[in-house]
Amino acid sequence: VGEGVTTVKVGDRITVDPVASCGHCFYCENNEPTHCLNQTKLSPGGLATYTRIAAPLVPGIVGLADDVSYEEGAYSDTLGPVLQGMEKANVRHGDTVVLIGCGGVGLTFIPLLKGAGAAQIIAADVEDQALAAAEAAGATHTVNTLRQDLGTVARDLTQGRGADVVVEAVGRAATYRLCFDVVRYAGTIVGFGGCPPGTTMELDPNLIHYGSLRILGTSHCSPAIFRRAVALINAGFDLSHIITHRLSLEDVHQAIEVFPQVECKTLVIMP
């Protein structure tokens, strides 16, 4: 432990927010720390036996409960952004939410959407196994978009309106475009999935204009939300069905084959 560090000691079980904001740039002063112009990042951030926590990152260290595994603690880096996505979604009691993508992130959203009061959670994917996992997690309806039209299903379940909130958790142009086919007038679209660089999408801007749509992107999370994520994990947030695979650092090359498998929701590399 570095000189002057008094908040932790050798042997403490911790996790850490991997990004620290400077606190004084334009974005920090306007309560948008995820866009800080002077970020400090954890390096190396993974695939290493040890890492160094630089001084600006020390305030982001949070303790883990005794019964929380290090794998669960590491998932705070995913749960935090999902919690921020929930804030952007602003789900209200009785809402119908369409969730596109039922991987680990999608399965993380489902109990939070239920807790926020969503009356109907329509989970969409192209894999039946992923949809079964979504149903087990609490989705009220599932749609395989290879066999069913998601827009039709959403409208049939909402007296023709469409979903109040749509969450994109895939990161592809086609699934982002699909959001506009299922959201109601004055509804909300939350873009959680990150697309590969260079991805483009064709869209009639009148869908936004005449539809009075609220479209919000989200990535990473604020320090306060990161701490909320760790607190939720410490309180017992169930990750048993989300952290599905583990590999040793020596076997990391196998991740190329394991991670794309449908049954793999989250892959943890164990140092």
Side-chain angles (χ1 to χ4, degrees):
V1 176
E3 182 179 349
V5 177
T6 59
T7 54
V8 291
K9 63 182 184 299
V10 175
D12 284 352
R13 303 179 67 256
I14 64 165
T15 188
V16 61
D17 189 341
V19 181
S21 52
C22 71
H24 56 74
C25 71
F26 172 86
Y27 292 104
C28 288
E29 290 181 348
N30 284 276
N31 199 32
E32 292 289 350
T34 58
H35 298 289
C36 172
L37 299 174
N38 308 294
Q39 291 180 339
T40 300
K41 297 183 179 181
L42 189 67
S43 179
L47 306 185
T49 305
Y50 297 100
T51 189
R52 181 179 66 91
I53 300 176
L57 293 166
V58 170
I61 293 175
V62 188
L64 298 177
D66 291 340
D67 58 347
V68 170
S69 69
Y70 284 117
E71 302 100 288
E72 292 169 322
Y75 199 77
S76 55
D77 188 34
T78 299
L79 181 56
V82 171
L83 289 176
Q84 179 161 290
M86 286 294 301
E87 286 203 350
K88 298 286 184 77
N90 192 29
V91 174
R92 297 175 296 182
H93 185 77
D95 275 355
T96 293
V97 180
V98 167
L99 172 67
I100 303 176
C102 300
V105 166
L107 295 183
T108 306
F109 264 107
I110 290 173
L112 298 173
L113 291 169
K114 288 183 63 178
Q120 298 187 105
I121 302 171
I122 307 168
D125 205 289
V126 296
E127 297 285 353
D128 288 337
Q129 188 173 10
L131 293 170
E135 185 175 16
T140 58
H141 303 81
T142 60
V143 176
N144 187 316
T145 56
L146 297 179
R147 296 194 297 268
Q148 292 178 278
D149 182 81
L150 183 58
T152 298
V153 173
R155 287 186 290 274
D156 285 348
L157 291 171
T158 56
Q159 298 179 316
R161 295 187 304 275
D164 302 292
V165 177
V166 184
V167 178
E168 202 283 349
V170 178
R172 295 185 179 181
T175 45
Y176 266 94
R177 179 60 186 82
L178 184 58
C179 295
F180 293 87
D181 295 336
V182 301
V183 68
R184 66 166 172 82
Y185 290 134
T188 298
I189 295 173
V190 176
F192 188 95
C195 298
T199 300
T200 60
M201 176 181 72
E202 289 189 8
L203 180 71
D204 180 354
N206 281 327
L207 293 174
I208 301 171
H209 173 64
Y210 290 113
S212 304
L213 298 182
R214 182 173 174 259
I215 304 170
L216 299 167
T218 184
S219 64
H220 194 53
C221 66
S222 69
I225 291 179
F226 180 83
R227 287 185 172 274
R228 279 176 48 201
V230 180
L232 197 57
I233 291 171
N234 280 340
F237 187 79
D238 185 13
L239 295 172
S240 60
H241 60 299
I242 296 173
I243 301 176
T244 54
H245 290 69
R246 296 163 177 82
L247 289 173
S248 68
L249 189 57
E250 291 77 14
D251 295 328
V252 67
H253 59 281
Q254 296 180 20
I256 298 173
E257 298 177 357
V258 174
F259 187 68
Q261 297 173 7
V262 176
E263 60 269 21
C264 181
K265 302 305 180 184
T266 300
L267 171 62
V268 178
I269 305 299
M270 307 294 291

